[in-house]
């Protein structure tokens, strides 16, 4: 039995070789981890961030002053500058579903009743002026193809002079259904 080593020496060599192999595996694992970390860092630093496009907020601000409302179905309104909503036939056209903040302020020559229409087949919101002023804010749920318009009425007159005012609509939750 010349070629066979004693059992005690054989066990020591096996433990030593396992230890060396475990150290080599650990070093290889750390090197791979560092390589992966450096690769991901390089990709993150030199790759441009994606451009997130948020939907435009639908809004419109309409001012009215020095106009007369005379026996017409709709109150004539002209929009300011370039707005994201359209006015057609004196009505504001809704293109996006969602909640809208509606603000109406007006100054009149006498007490008026204002009806705010916003959906065909629904009752309008009635607003009574106090001291010849209207100051009204509400939030309503509007949908595609709804139309927002005003109707004014006053006692004992067919023509109503408007001293000034504004109507503002702002879409409160962009990102839903929109048709342009």
């Amino acid at each position: 039995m010349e070629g066979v080593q004693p059992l005690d020496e054989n066990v020591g060599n096996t433990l030593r070789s396992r230890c060396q192999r475990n150290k080599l595996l650990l070093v290889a694992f750390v090197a791979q981890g560092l390589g992966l970390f450096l690769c991901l860092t390089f990709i993150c630093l030199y790759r441009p961030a994606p451009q997130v496009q948020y939907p435009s907020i639908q809004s419109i601000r309409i001012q009215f002053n020095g106009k007369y409302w005379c026996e017409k179905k709709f109150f004539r309104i002209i929009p300011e500058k370039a707005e994201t909503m359209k006015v057609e036939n004196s009505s504001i056209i809704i293109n996006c579903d969602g909640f809208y903040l509606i603000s109406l302020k007006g100054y009149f020559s006498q007490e008026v009743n204002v009806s705010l229409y916003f959906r065909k087949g629904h009752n309008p919101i009635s607003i009574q002026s106090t001291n010849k002023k209207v100051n009204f804010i509400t939030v309503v749920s509007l949908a595609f193809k709804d139309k927002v318009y005003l109707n004014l009425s006053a006692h004992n007159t067919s023509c109503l002079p408007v001293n000034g005012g504004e109507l503002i609509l702002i879409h409160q939750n962009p990102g839903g259904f929109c048709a342009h």
Side-chain angles (χ1 to χ4, degrees):
M1 290 207 220
E2 294 174 12
V4 177
Q5 295 180 350
L7 192 55
D8 292 335
E9 289 179 17
N10 203 4
V11 171
N13 285 340
T14 305
L15 285 175
R16 192 176 318 134
S17 67
R18 277 189 195 166
C19 235
Q20 286 176 348
R21 193 177 73 166
N22 287 344
K23 284 181 184 177
L24 286 174
L25 286 174
L26 180 64
V27 168
F29 178 72
V30 169
Q32 285 178 345
L34 282 173
L36 181 63
F37 175 73
L38 291 174
C39 183
L40 289 175
T41 302
F42 179 79
I43 289 171
C44 290
L45 288 177
Y46 293 103
R47 182 176 173 211
Q51 296 294 331
V52 177
Q53 289 188 346
Y54 296 101
S56 64
I57 295 176
Q58 296 286 302
S59 66
I60 192 165
R61 179 177 180 226
I62 299 169
Q63 291 186 328
F64 46 89
N65 58 6
K67 306 284 183 189
Y68 284 88
W69 182 82
C70 297
E71 300 284 334
K72 292 183 182 177
K73 184 176 179 184
F74 303 116
F75 185 58
R76 180 149 309 290
I77 45 183
I78 309 295
E80 266 192 6
K81 301 178 187 172
E83 302 285 351
T84 57
M85 298 174 77
K86 292 182 184 177
V87 177
E88 291 178 6
N89 297 326
S90 299
S91 300
I92 301 169
I93 308 301
I94 303 300
N95 292 322
C96 298
D97 293 350
F99 291 101
Y100 285 79
L101 175 93
I102 299 176
S103 171
L104 174 64
K105 294 181 181 183
Y107 307 95
F108 306 95
S109 61
Q110 66 185 63
E111 297 295 319
V112 296
N113 292 320
V114 180
S115 297
L116 176 68
Y117 291 85
F118 59 93
R119 182 169 290 154
K120 195 172 189 174
H122 281 73
N123 291 333
I125 298 173
S126 295
I127 307 162
Q128 178 69 40
S129 66
T130 55
N131 297 328
K132 301 178 186 177
K133 295 179 191 175
V134 171
N135 190 1
F136 177 77
I137 296 177
T138 189
V139 175
V140 296
S141 176
L142 299 175
F144 175 62
K145 291 191 177 181
D146 282 344
K147 295 179 180 181
V148 176
Y149 61 93
L150 300 174
N151 190 5
L152 300 177
S153 62
H155 300 291
N156 303 328
T157 185
S158 60
C159 286
L160 179 65
V162 178
N163 296 337
E166 67 181 5
L167 175 65
I168 300 173
L169 267 76
I170 302 173
H171 192 199
Q172 297 298 301
N173 56 334
F177 174 77
C178 275
H180 296 282

